[in-house]
Amino acid sequence: EGAYEARWCGLQYARGDYIHFMDSDDLIAPRAYEELLSICEENNLDQIVFTAASFNSEKHTVSEERVKDGFDKHYQLVDECCEKVMDGKEFFRVLSKNRSFFVGFPMRLIRRSIVQGMGIPECDAVWHADNFYTVVWMYRSRRALAINRRYYKRRVHRNSITMVKDSDAQHFKSILSVVLAFCRFEEFV
């Protein structure tokens, strides 16, 4: 039923202190979890954000190369945002101000209690739900940190969701679902 449904299903079985959502066709750097968990525990973090490097499948098109380059530019953190523990609201403000805020579950390790927290309305968007949940989880984090390390390896290929051309109507419906979910999130109201 799609990536979001699979993630929520997996959450029912999660028992660890932290959650990382990884896409099935991507990679994570060796020892990334060990290093990230160590940083989280040392700093009592609710969330840590890191960066990604993109790569193409063996046979790729010029448009896939452009998408890869775009992702590499998008997943950057400026030094002003990194290595400083902040509460989630300040964290969001600093990242946004410095054009370093990006949504995407795979570039975050988050305390499970934040992800499974009470009072988070469901966002039934087929796509773009990460726009809602990323902000909500950041908002709920008491201690967050960004590090400029490219632990996540994002694969770009013609069959990925970002490359497949879908209906404008479905994207619009998903974006409306995100807006409605924000309207139902009491802490934002």
Side-chain angles (χ1 to χ4, degrees):
E1 293 185 33
Y4 293 117
E5 194 61 35
R7 288 174 177 138
W8 304 148
C9 181
L11 273 175
Q12 295 175 33
Y13 300 97
R15 298 292 175 257
D17 291 334
Y18 290 90
I19 298 289
H20 179 245
F21 294 111
M22 187 167 161
D23 290 344
S24 62
D25 54 353
D26 295 339
L27 305 169
I28 190 102
R31 301 189 57 149
Y33 291 131
E34 180 182 350
E35 292 173 23
L36 288 164
L37 188 57
S38 176
I39 294 167
C40 285
E41 289 174 344
E42 284 172 22
N43 294 281
N44 191 28
L45 298 177
D46 290 324
Q47 181 170 169
I48 188 167
V49 175
F50 46 95
T51 59
S54 301
F55 67 99
N56 293 108
S57 51
E58 290 178 27
K59 295 179 181 178
H60 60 275
T61 64
V62 173
S63 65
E64 290 170 331
E65 187 68 31
R66 280 196 298 267
V67 169
K68 181 191 98 45
D69 293 344
F71 280 144
D72 285 342
K73 288 177 188 168
H74 181 66
Y75 297 129
Q76 290 186 16
L77 294 166
V78 297
D79 290 340
E80 292 80 16
C81 302
C82 297
E83 307 296 335
K84 298 173 194 139
V85 176
M86 298 173 242
D87 74 49
K89 294 172 198 162
E90 177 69 5
F91 190 52
F92 179 71
R93 190 189 68 73
V94 169
L95 289 173
S96 297
K97 177 183 162 201
N98 288 287
R99 302 174 110 352
S100 291
F101 174 72
F102 48 82
V103 298
F105 298 150
M107 280 66 72
R108 307 177 144 63
L109 187 68
I110 306 169
R111 190 178 297 276
R112 182 168 53 96
S113 60
I114 298 290
V115 174
Q116 294 178 319
M118 299 297 291
I120 299 175
E122 188 175 317
C123 180
D124 61 356
V126 175
W127 299 294
H128 310 298
D130 49 352
N131 288 279
F132 173 71
Y133 290 110
T134 298
V135 173
V136 168
W137 296 336
M138 194 172 288
Y139 189 85
R140 287 254 173 115
S141 295
R142 289 166 310 174
R143 296 179 58 81
L145 176 73
I147 58 173
N148 208 359
R149 298 184 199 161
R150 293 183 180 265
Y151 285 125
Y152 197 71
K153 311 300 179 197
R154 183 169 189 162
R155 183 186 315 265
V156 177
H157 58 89
R158 66 185 53 107
N159 295 323
S160 74
I161 297 238
T162 46
M163 295 294 291
V164 173
K165 302 295 183 214
D166 292 310
S167 103
D168 289 340
Q170 186 60 51
H171 281 285
F172 183 71
K173 183 180 175 191
S174 290
I175 290 167
L176 281 179
S177 295
V178 169
V179 171
L180 289 172
F182 275 121
C183 291
R184 291 190 309 267
F185 185 51
E186 220 172 286
E187 293 173 62
F188 281 6
V189 175

